[in-house]
Amino acid sequence: MTKRWISIKAGVLLTVMALLSGFGIAQNVTKGKRVGIIGLDTSHSIAFTKAMNSPTAGDSFLGYKVVAAYPQGSLDIQSSVERIEGYTKEIQNYDVEIVASIEELLTKVDVVLLETNDGRRHLEQALPVLKAGKRLFIDKPMAASLSDAMAIFDAAEHYNVPVFSASSLRYIVKMDEVTSGKAGKVLGAETFSPCKLEPTHPDFFWYGIHGVEPLFTAMGTGCKTVVRVTTADTDMAIGTWADGRIGSFRGLRGGKAGYGGIVFGEKDIITLGSYNGYNPLLEEIVRFFESGVLPFPKEETLEILAFMEAADWSKKKGGIPVSMEDVMKKAEKESKKKIKL
């Protein structure tokens, strides 16, 4: 055998290996566990893929792997748009195929992570996924308005496809002690998080949701009124629940940033710890993909969004209390105009 022939064979082998390597994850993932991503304008897309596609993931994610992604997220939020090219290149390092449309994505995957950073696009991007019958997780914020979120849930019910949305801060350190009942009945809570503002979104929807979500995780539903005090560096939104309990969110824009809170219970006072990473949320997502069972009621998600909209109303009205019922009724009327099912 000549050196030239050996060289040709080696070249062919390398070419075949290179071609096969581009299909590694996609070809080996069990049908039913193929995950697609919409939106590569957020670091969450990379973080989720890195975790799920890691060779060391073991059974943490039940065999679910990201196999394809549609890059286009926000169209006009510059901080998001400028990330797309870099994240599109980076995600391919994890053997993820880049596709040209949501329609093409849906032919290659079984379930979907809607990661677009811009909540204004979530309704339009969620609809084809739900119509195709694919279980769907929507990253925060579920939408850029309460009415859009209601429309998404209406579509999910119409197509009989489960959908849920959550911030990873729902699983902040020590929250499991609260939800397991260690403190007894929760009598009140105070949470805080960074609260950067984005003009295209209601104030808390862009980043404050990371602090509002753990507030409702601890308190549950039943908030009736919201009042907000705001300055350049700080927001304080105080909710009063139907049973007289009080819960508050402090949004930070000045000084040291961080996440945390205090939960006041009948048996104990629990200080919430720091951010707990993405894995607790990802594990919840794959359990949802597997079972189709929502990890918490949709009413809780809608109330979180209503609380944030009510806080905006209160700000515009000079800091007076705003009725959650009024916010909900207005959004319900608007949601009916947004989609035809």
Side-chain angles (χ1 to χ4, degrees):
M1 187 178 290
T2 66
K3 290 183 179 180
R4 182 173 179 274
W5 175 242
I6 293 173
S7 177
I8 291 172
K9 287 185 67 178
V12 170
L13 180 59
L14 288 171
T15 301
V16 171
M17 290 176 65
L19 287 170
L20 290 175
S21 69
F23 296 96
I25 294 294
Q27 292 295 307
N28 294 326
V29 177
T30 303
K31 191 172 182 180
K33 296 181 181 288
R34 300 171 301 171
V35 180
I37 286 180
I38 297 173
L40 297 181
D41 60 346
T42 169
S43 60
H44 293 191
S45 298
I46 303 301
F48 287 7
T49 302
K50 184 177 180 180
M52 296 178 79
N53 289 20
S54 171
T56 61
D59 296 328
S60 299
F61 307 117
L62 306 180
Y64 283 82
K65 304 286 185 184
V66 178
V67 301
Y70 170 62
Q72 188 62 65
S74 181
L75 299 172
D76 59 2
I77 298 175
Q78 191 58 36
S79 62
S80 296
V81 172
E82 64 188 12
R83 297 171 179 169
I84 295 174
E85 182 179 357
Y87 287 156
T88 299
K89 291 178 181 177
E90 185 174 354
I91 204 168
Q92 291 176 80
N93 293 331
Y94 303 104
D95 223 355
V96 174
E97 181 183 359
I98 302 301
V99 299
S101 67
I102 291 176
E103 289 68 28
E104 183 183 358
L105 181 81
L106 294 174
T107 67
K108 298 173 181 289
V109 304
D110 307 299
V111 293
V112 175
L113 299 169
L114 176 44
E115 295 298 320
T116 296
N117 212 22
D118 188 343
R120 295 172 300 168
R121 302 209 66 202
H122 286 181
L123 175 57
E124 65 173 293
Q125 291 187 322
L127 286 175
V129 180
L130 297 173
K131 190 173 183 179
K134 312 286 185 180
R135 291 175 183 172
L136 175 65
F137 168 77
I138 302 177
D139 212 334
K140 68 83 191 170
M142 183 171 184
S145 68
L146 174 60
S147 58
D148 272 16
M150 287 179 170
I152 290 171
F153 278 124
D154 286 347
E157 184 175 347
H158 176 79
Y159 292 115
N160 195 29
V161 180
V163 58
F164 93 98
S165 177
S167 158
S168 56
L169 270 296
R170 171 174 284 271
Y171 306 97
I172 191 170
V173 172
K174 294 288 187 80
M175 185 60 81
D176 59 337
E177 294 185 7
V178 177
T179 55
S180 67
K182 181 180 178 182
K185 180 182 177 181
V186 172
L187 304 178
E190 301 172 358
T191 60
F192 62 86
S193 80
C195 192
K196 302 172 187 175
L197 305 181
E198 163 54 49
T200 60
H201 287 58
D203 286 354
F204 293 171
F205 279 59
W206 187 249
Y207 219 87
I209 188 171
H210 284 316
V212 177
E213 181 122 12
L215 175 64
F216 277 82
T217 307
M219 294 285 291
T221 57
C223 184
K224 292 301 179 183
T225 62
V226 179
V227 61
R228 174 179 172 188
V229 179
T230 184
T231 67
D233 290 340
T234 308
D235 273 300
M236 178 68 76
I238 302 167
T240 301
W241 267 246
D243 54 7
R245 296 180 301 148
I246 294 174
S248 66
F249 161 65
R250 186 180 186 91
L252 310 173
R253 284 187 295 278
K256 181 174 174 56
Y259 305 92
I262 300 176
V263 179
F264 304 95
E266 286 182 318
K267 301 177 182 178
D268 199 3
I269 297 174
I270 295 177
T271 299
L272 300 175
S274 58
Y275 174 55
N276 206 16
Y278 294 118
N279 279 14
L281 172 59
L282 275 175
E283 290 169 6
E284 193 78 84
I285 291 169
V286 297
R287 284 193 291 268
F288 160 75
F289 283 160
E290 192 78 357
S291 68
V293 177
L294 302 185
F296 47 88
K298 72 174 185 179
E299 289 76 16
E300 189 169 313
T301 298
L302 292 175
E303 200 161 302
I304 288 169
L305 299 175
F307 178 94
M308 297 191 295
E309 280 203 6
D312 258 25
W313 284 26
S314 179
K315 176 185 176 182
K316 292 171 184 175
K317 292 174 179 288
I320 66 172
V322 169
S323 163
M324 290 276 282
E325 183 179 4
D326 289 348
V327 173
M328 286 281 197
K329 285 182 177 179
K330 182 175 184 293
E332 284 174 3
K333 290 181 181 179
E334 292 174 351
S335 70
K336 303 304 179 187
K337 302 173 184 177
K338 295 194 170 187
I339 55 173
K340 292 182 180 180
L341 299 172

